[in-house]
Amino acid sequence: MSLDSLIELLPELNKAFLETLYMVGVSLVVAIVIGLPLGIILFVTDKGLFLENSWIKSSVGFVVNLVRSVPFIILLVALLPLTQLLTGTTIGPTAASVSLSAAAIPFFARIVETSLREIEKGVIEAAVAVGATPWMIIKDVLLPEARPGIIQGVTLTTISLVAYSAMAGIVGGGGVGDLAIRFGYYRYDKPVMFTTVVVLVVLVQIIQLGGDQIARKIDRR
């Protein structure tokens, strides 16, 4: 591909980049809204904690592990009927956001659980001893203490979503991955493939640096 041809592709690249940001943004919001409570439930219902419940722990853990064990490309295809039901279509960035969200929710939930496990048990026991309600413990103890780890979890989830969004291009999900497949793979256009890879690498680096900066600023330890 000549330089002129690459310049002509810039509008397509810009559109694809915005579609990627849209898919990642929507999926990340869904992952946080649903994954955060799931992660908290996985932690507080564990043995020895203030809301210990083995049935809830096992049930939620099973579902989370089940979804996490399915390769994303298979999950992408398996959720096409649900995607059609929710969005009215199976192609485009909005449709791809359904499977991206489904993959991100259990991933983020486990990160939240892991972050909460890093809190010293003495802090939780002290809150229980003074008569704090479960909601107060979660709101005033667990979340503030685990905040740096959760921010790092958001960063990791975002980066994973960028990678998954590129894979969504296989089924016409739009975004940079779709551009790479349509122009780079099907047309054997190596410059396009290289350009899309560079765009994704730069995006991931920016996300990682931003996440690290935020986590350091809010870390009170």
Side-chain angles (χ1 to χ4, degrees):
M1 172 181 275
S2 66
L3 180 60
D4 290 339
S5 299
L6 194 57
I7 292 175
E8 290 176 2
L9 187 65
L10 283 178
E12 286 282 348
L13 182 60
N14 182 57
K15 178 185 175 185
F17 181 71
L18 293 177
E19 286 177 346
T20 294
L21 292 182
Y22 170 76
M23 285 188 288
V24 171
V26 170
S27 306
L28 182 63
V29 169
V30 174
I32 293 172
V33 169
I34 301 178
L36 181 61
L38 282 180
I40 294 172
I41 290 171
L42 285 169
F43 176 70
V44 300
T45 57
D46 203 3
K47 186 176 181 179
L49 271 297
F50 54 92
L51 288 178
E52 179 181 343
N53 188 311
S54 60
W55 186 86
I56 292 178
K57 168 73 176 180
S58 300
S59 300
V60 175
F62 174 78
V63 174
V64 167
N65 291 338
L66 178 65
V67 177
R68 287 192 67 195
S69 65
V70 180
F72 178 69
I73 190 64
I74 296 176
L75 186 67
L76 190 64
V77 175
L79 290 179
L80 287 178
L82 178 62
T83 301
Q84 177 70 46
L85 178 66
L86 293 177
T87 66
T89 182
T90 57
I91 60 173
T94 300
S97 298
V98 175
S99 52
L100 286 171
S101 299
I105 289 169
F107 181 82
F108 184 64
R110 283 300 185 188
I111 291 177
V112 171
E113 181 190 12
T114 301
S115 299
L116 293 172
R117 290 193 183 283
E118 294 176 357
I119 300 173
E120 293 184 12
K121 286 191 175 181
V123 176
I124 301 173
E125 291 170 354
V128 173
V130 298
T133 64
W135 169 243
M136 289 172 63
I137 296 173
I138 292 170
K139 178 173 65 75
D140 299 327
V141 178
L142 298 185
L143 291 180
E145 289 291 327
R147 196 162 45 184
I150 292 174
I151 293 298
Q152 291 285 11
V154 171
T155 304
L156 288 173
T157 304
T158 307
I159 291 173
S160 296
L161 283 170
V162 171
Y164 288 156
S165 71
M167 220 181 301
I170 296 174
V171 294
V176 176
D178 182 53
L179 182 70
I181 292 170
R182 286 189 293 113
F183 287 87
Y185 180 72
Y186 291 146
R187 299 185 186 183
Y188 303 100
D189 200 326
K190 291 182 179 178
V192 172
M193 291 290 287
F194 177 76
T195 302
T196 54
V197 168
V198 169
V199 169
L200 291 176
V201 168
V202 171
L203 178 59
V204 166
Q205 293 299 320
I206 292 173
I207 293 170
Q208 186 66 64
L209 289 172
D212 290 344
Q213 288 280 351
I214 295 172
R216 279 196 294 268
K217 284 183 178 179
I218 66 174
D219 193 348
R220 300 181 303 178
R221 293 169 293 182

